[in-house]
Amino acid sequence: MPAKILVADDDLTLQRLITNTLKLERHEVIVASDGRQALDLIHSEQPDLVILDVMMPVLNGFDVCAELRKDPETAILPVIMLSGLGQVQEKIIGLRAGADEYLTKPIDPRELLTRVEMLLARHALLRKSAAVKSGRVLSLIGAKGGVGVTTLAVNLAAKLAGNGNQVILLEFRPDYGTVALHFNLKPTISLAALRPLEPVAITDQVVNRLLNETSVGVKVLCGPQKADEFGAFNAGLAGALLARLITQCDYVVVDLPPAVDEATETILKSSDQVLVVLEPEATSVAAAVQRVNQIIAYSSAITIRLIAVNRQGAMLLSLREIEHRLDRPLLDVFPPAIDAMGVAVQFGMPVVVSQPNHVYAERIGDLLKQLQESKATTLHR
Ligand SMILES: Nc1ncnc2c1ncn2[C@@H]1O[C@H](COP(=O)(O)OP(=O)(O)OP(=O)(O)O)[C@@H](O)[C@H]1O
Ligand SMILES: [Mg+2]
């Protein structure tokens, strides 16, 4: 089957040799002469396979490959790396950056073609199995800490599962994760187990070992549970993990920490919707304005929605005043529900399941409808 292949090499002679070889097999070829141009063309042209020279101006092949692996859209795109450097060490760096194949110059056209055909065939198989699902990603992040993000994420996930969706709740935080307590789980393995892995090593099998079943149907990947598991995650891991999770469910609900790092950025950029959570008081509203600015700076294509949780009970600012300061509408202001929260955690059963008639549970249902109604217009993938 003819494919669309990007060839990135600043050596024009080699670029032509490879192009001609591929065209003889009726492949469509796009060429780039530096790493930046290669990345731009990959995003605009969406080739089926990429051939990258290691030594290129602006961005080298290793860096291009690492960038591709960070982004769930290109995380499994087949990559062949070419290098004049025959040393084992270079080859290892290439494979670690996420290359599927590594060929040393001089290139034998027949070998290149064989590798191309094999990789394309393997990828077609992978896509066939992955095409079963492509889940939507709903991420929640606080304007600041402790505003009720995890409680919302847990209940939204449980409600989605109750509506018949396959749901994975990903608690993506570097330090202690509280999601386990909401479901009365005692996970023996957490997100931290992925930290030492290269993105390519994050397979469905590895991910499945981390997923905990719950009685409400949500599968949960818990954040770190012990102090010695705390620590930052890198963007490559975030992208590779999300790429695997979306093939396994209808919805990935992500509970994010109120943090600024490359992993959080990667998840925010890969989300269909981001729900920014705040409290209806001045400092939280001010923090929310900056949280929104931060997310927009990552990408203006991210769909941001805002929600307030009135944990304290007092509304010191009017809804109008809050929306004026935010310069955006609020989807809702959730009422205080201290009693319900206590019971839910005590029994390890989210409010939407244990107390479905509670006003908090009802409002979760309304919120979900609002989020789902917007899907036709806000889906940017
Ligand atoms: N609507 C509510 N009414 C009263 N208390 C609430 C409400 N929502 C959450 N809480 C309580 O507020 C506390 C913080 O909630 P939660 O853990 O969900 O916040 P968080 O934003 O995830 O915090 P962190 O930033 O530490 O991750 C918890 O004790 C929770 O029970
Ligand atoms: Mg939390």
Side-chain angles (χ1 to χ4, degrees):
M1 278 286 271
K4 195 193 243 190
I5 298 174
L6 177 109
V7 178
D9 198 327
D10 60 326
D11 174 348
L12 294 183
T13 317
L14 194 61
Q15 195 188 82
R16 210 165 301 135
L17 170 77
I18 298 174
T19 303
N20 291 340
T21 307
L22 294 169
K23 280 191 172 162
L24 275 178
E25 295 297 316
R26 307 222 315 278
H27 293 302
E28 181 187 343
V29 181
I30 317 157
V31 291
S33 314
D34 68 61
R36 171 57 46 203
Q37 195 190 9
L39 271 182
D40 290 345
L41 282 170
I42 289 165
H43 287 116
S44 60
E45 297 288 328
Q46 303 188 342
D48 304 303
L49 183 145
V50 176
I51 299 175
L52 289 176
D53 186 27
V54 169
M55 295 299 192
M56 277 189 295
V58 194
L59 265 185
N60 67 34
F62 298 138
D63 293 338
V64 173
C65 195
E67 282 296 317
L68 293 176
R69 294 311 181 225
K70 273 190 213 167
D71 183 347
E73 304 250 323
T74 52
I76 57 170
L77 178 64
V79 173
I80 298 178
M81 223 175 248
L82 308 179
S83 168
L85 313 160
Q87 292 97 337
V88 176
Q89 190 53 28
E90 300 294 339
K91 199 165 176 170
I92 289 174
I93 297 175
L95 294 172
R96 276 183 181 271
D100 297 280
E101 299 279 359
Y102 194 96
L103 296 182
T104 312
K105 296 175 191 175
I107 304 296
D108 180 322
R110 284 162 311 171
E111 183 183 4
L112 179 69
L113 268 183
T114 310
R115 303 262 178 193
V116 166
E117 300 304 340
M118 282 173 60
L119 256 185
L120 285 173
R122 204 160 77 200
H123 189 64
L125 272 180
L126 200 70
R127 264 217 307 252
K128 222 168 159 184
S129 60
V132 179
K133 291 223 176 287
S134 177
R136 301 169 51 72
V137 180
L138 168 63
S139 293
L140 290 87
I141 186 166
K144 51 199 194 67
V147 294
V149 174
T150 301
T151 309
L152 271 178
V154 161
N155 281 283
L156 279 171
K159 184 76 187 171
L160 277 165
N163 291 350
N165 297 290
Q166 287 186 303
V167 184
I168 293 175
L169 175 55
L170 167 62
E171 183 174 31
F172 200 92
R173 63 178 300 137
D175 57 0
Y176 186 61
T178 55
V179 166
L181 299 172
H182 287 259
F183 293 100
N184 201 9
L185 294 170
K186 295 185 179 56
T188 50
I189 179 165
S190 78
L191 181 68
L194 299 180
R195 200 180 283 114
L197 301 185
E198 299 299 331
V200 276
I202 300 183
T203 59
D204 285 340
Q205 232 175 357
V206 167
V207 171
N208 280 331
R209 286 220 314 273
L210 297 187
L211 292 176
N212 295 276
E213 304 275 350
T214 66
S215 59
V216 304
V218 177
K219 287 187 186 173
V220 181
L221 203 165
C222 295
Q225 298 295 301
K226 288 185 253 132
D228 62 6
E229 293 178 352
F230 295 0
F233 294 97
N234 66 45
L237 180 138
L241 175 60
L242 214 50
R244 299 284 22 105
L245 293 179
I246 57 174
T247 65
Q248 300 193 19
C249 62
D250 301 309
Y251 285 90
V252 183
V253 177
V254 193
D255 177 6
L256 286 173
V260 187
D261 63 26
E262 56 167 28
T264 311
E265 176 179 349
T266 296
I267 294 199
L268 287 168
K269 281 185 183 159
S270 312
S271 301
D272 294 290
Q273 297 198 51
V274 174
L275 196 55
V276 174
V277 186
L278 59 135
E279 286 191 291
E281 54 84 29
T283 60
S284 189
V285 173
V289 171
Q290 298 314 321
R291 180 69 71 216
V292 169
N293 290 344
Q294 173 201 346
I295 299 170
I296 293 173
Y298 288 156
S299 161
S300 56
I302 299 174
T303 302
I304 305 171
R305 321 294 298 273
L306 288 140
I307 183 115
V309 177
N310 187 8
R311 296 186 311 143
Q312 315 292 350
M315 232 4 224
L316 297 173
L317 293 175
S318 70
L319 178 63
R320 232 178 106 191
E321 179 59 25
I322 297 171
E323 291 186 330
H324 173 69
R325 291 188 191 185
L326 294 169
D327 197 23
R328 282 164 180 264
L330 276 179
L331 290 178
D332 198 358
V333 181
F334 268 60
I338 301 172
D339 50 336
M341 298 306 157
V343 175
V345 174
Q346 190 181 345
F347 291 103
M349 193 71 81
V351 177
V352 289
V353 181
S354 60
Q355 302 152 81
N357 298 323
H358 193 284
V359 60
Y360 187 90
E362 284 169 3
R363 299 284 271 276
I364 287 282
D366 296 341
L367 172 61
L368 205 53
K369 280 196 202 108
Q370 292 196 63
L371 294 173
Q372 289 178 321
E373 271 160 18
S374 63
K375 83 176 165 196
T377 49
T378 56
L379 195 66
H380 55 83
R381 265 203 258 157

